[in-house]
Amino acid sequence: MTDPAPFVRFQRVGKTYDGGASAAVRDLALDVAPGEFLTLLGPSGSGKTTTLMMLAGFETPSTGAILLEGEDISRRPAHKRGLGMVFQNYALFPHMSVAQNLAFPLQVRRMGRAEIKTRVEKALAMVRLEGFGHRRPAQLSGGQQQRVAVARALVFEPKAVLMDEPLGALDKSLREQLQYEISRIHRELGVTVLYVTHDQSEALTMSDRIAVFNKGRVEQCGTPDALYDQPANLFVAGFVGENNSIAADIGGSDDGHVHATSPAGRMLATPAGVHAGKAVIAVRPERVLLEPAEAPHVTRLAGTVSERYFAGDHVRLVVKLASGEEVAVKASRLDAERLPDPGEDAIIGWRTADAHAFPPDRPGAAAAPPSPKELEPA
Ligand code: ADP
Ligand code: MG
């Protein structure tokens, strides 16, 4: 059996500005399956919006082609692509009521009045705003306005909805609530969604697949699990989830793992693209062991606790190694009584399968961003 034809295909798409002087998107190859929720995730300036705008028809690719259901739409006008759009700054018409805002895309499509009424009511129910049709956007909260924007993008039953940081202007709890709402709508309607965010936890929560953008290129595209458990490189390891990096030199390898040394000590890791020479050992904070017993395939490194935070469901320690590098540790709250305090010595470590030896960042490439600090010092 062959895979179903992709719904959207970016075929070696490039976009340059300033007469070719700067590239916003480079050689993009990406397929989106029908009904898929695909997120473009990456830091600011990595090319996410440009990619979405080319699909929407507001920008034209400089090279390559974009196919929609097998047809090259690279030069088709935006209004003939049948795609819904939601942006960060709601962009509702302020002088129209909510119902008029929702009716607008249907009137443009010359739909009959009775059908418009039915569709508008259905769209309002979908975003749980029944009874709000008569209000003006200014009479709604930010979250409600964004719900209307989502409804307006869906009301004409588009082939796909493109959303560019739609929750970016909302506070954290509202953002999380709307993440679930949008996921539910996606499930209920089965509509294809292309979603842009720079927020990795939002991407992990909502997506079927995530394409990680960096400097106009896709570093890796895969399911949230695959990106988290098998990041292709240090950039992805640092951008999706949190990651500790320890610089080391690989001395040798056997039996599927590598031996590495650094001023921090001797380490074992699973090779991820490098078997000799300089490497960076990457370990997730929740995979770091505290005071592990000596055992084959377990790395142990001595350090000193420099920080300790209470984080509700876990305790977070920062341990400084002899190399000066700091390692974040997520420890179980249940162990809180026997966890070391700042200033105390500690042995940290990991199972070889939980540590990956990556090649150091490519020269000139953006360094992996620092992991977002989840908390303020207690
Ligand atoms: P993101 O959405 O990931 O933050 P963008 O797609 O907006 O990134 O931008 C990617 C790069 O292209 C950035 O370096 C940006 O400055 C540049 N860029 C975007 N739009 C334009 C434009 N209209 N003219 C010139 N450069 C642009
Ligand atoms: Mg953007």
Side-chain angles (χ1 to χ4, degrees), residues 3 28 40 99 111 137 214 268 347:
D3 284 342
L28 173 67
L40 316 183
M111 199 171 274
N214 181 28
L268 293 171
I347 306 280

Side-chain angles (χ1 to χ4, degrees), residues 14-362:
K15 177 68 181 176
T16 53
Y17 289 108
D18 310 328
S22 66
V25 174
R26 301 159 196 261
D27 204 20
L28 173 67
L30 188 63
D31 282 356
V32 188
E36 186 171 29
F37 194 120
L38 182 95
T39 296
L40 316 183
L41 171 70
S44 175
S46 58
K48 309 179 297 292
T49 293
T50 304
T51 299
L52 214 62
M53 288 298 154
M54 289 191 287
L55 177 56
F58 301 122
E59 293 284 0
T60 311
S62 308
T63 52
I66 300 175
L67 310 189
L68 181 65
E69 297 178 305
E71 274 183 62
D72 187 346
I73 56 156
S74 309
R75 283 177 172 70
R76 189 186 293 178
H79 66 276
K80 293 194 175 154
R81 297 189 185 195
L83 306 172
M85 293 283 305
V86 186
F87 302 98
Q88 175 172 336
N89 44 356
Y90 332 113
L92 299 174
F93 301 116
H95 58 289
M96 292 184 188
S97 70
V98 166
Q100 286 166 339
N101 264 281
L102 295 186
F104 184 76
L106 304 177
Q107 287 159 347
V108 169
R109 287 169 176 78
R110 308 200 176 287
M111 199 171 274
R113 285 181 72 157
E115 166 128 42
I116 289 180
K117 189 159 181 290
T118 313
R119 290 245 202 153
V120 167
E121 271 163 23
K122 201 171 126 198
L124 279 174
M126 184 178 60
V127 295
R128 308 203 158 140
L129 283 177
E130 296 100 330
F132 284 78
H134 62 283
R135 294 220 197 166
R136 299 270 161 132
Q139 297 171 309
L140 300 176
S141 70
Q144 289 170 333
Q145 289 183 43
Q146 205 52 327
R147 281 193 159 86
V148 176
V150 169
R152 192 177 60 179
L154 288 164
V155 73
F156 63 95
E157 296 177 5
K159 295 177 179 173
V161 192
L162 317 187
M163 303 194 192
D164 193 350
E165 313 245 7
L167 310 181
L170 306 177
D171 66 37
K172 187 166 180 286
S173 67
L174 200 52
R175 208 161 64 220
E176 286 173 357
Q177 193 187 331
L178 278 182
Q179 286 168 12
Y180 291 113
E181 291 279 305
I182 292 173
S183 295
R184 172 183 61 80
I185 291 167
H186 168 251
R187 266 197 320 278
E188 283 176 12
L189 300 183
V191 63
T192 307
V193 178
L194 268 93
Y195 192 94
V196 163
T197 183
H198 63 271
D199 178 339
Q200 49 107 2
S201 77
E202 185 163 301
L204 290 172
T205 306
M206 301 179 79
S207 317
D208 293 322
R209 278 190 314 150
I210 301 169
V212 181
F213 277 65
N214 181 28
K215 299 198 151 187
R217 290 185 196 282
V218 173
E219 296 272 2
Q220 188 174 5
C221 183
T223 62
D225 296 48
L227 293 186
Y228 195 85
D229 294 333
Q230 289 115 34
N233 53 45
L234 266 183
F235 181 84
V236 176
F239 203 80
V240 180
E242 200 188 349
N243 181 56
N244 291 301
S245 293
I246 302 165
D249 287 297
I250 297 179
S253 66
D254 58 18
D255 207 15
H257 59 264
V258 294
H259 302 260
T261 54
S262 94
R266 296 157 54 87
M267 300 165 235
L268 293 171
T270 305
V274 61
H275 287 82
K278 295 214 172 298
V280 174
I281 311 298
V283 195
R284 302 248 182 236
E286 72 272 21
R287 297 291 180 165
V288 177
L289 307 171
L290 270 173
E291 307 294 338
E294 279 185 61
H297 296 291
V298 171
T299 292
R300 299 170 85 240
L301 299 173
T304 307
V305 176
S306 53
E307 295 168 47
R308 175 176 169 159
Y309 304 97
F310 172 66
D313 60 343
H314 70 275
V315 175
R316 181 188 175 88
L317 299 174
V318 178
V319 177
K320 192 166 191 170
L321 302 176
S323 58
E325 291 160 308
E326 294 196 313
V327 174
V329 187
K330 275 189 184 173
S332 166
R333 243 197 104 172
L334 303 175
D335 298 331
E337 273 179 26
R338 47 180 205 83
L339 293 177
D341 285 314
E344 292 181 357
D345 289 341
I347 306 280
I348 60 149
W350 55 76
R351 291 179 198 91
T352 304
D354 291 334
H356 294 94
F358 287 110
D361 268 326
R362 300 175 300 276

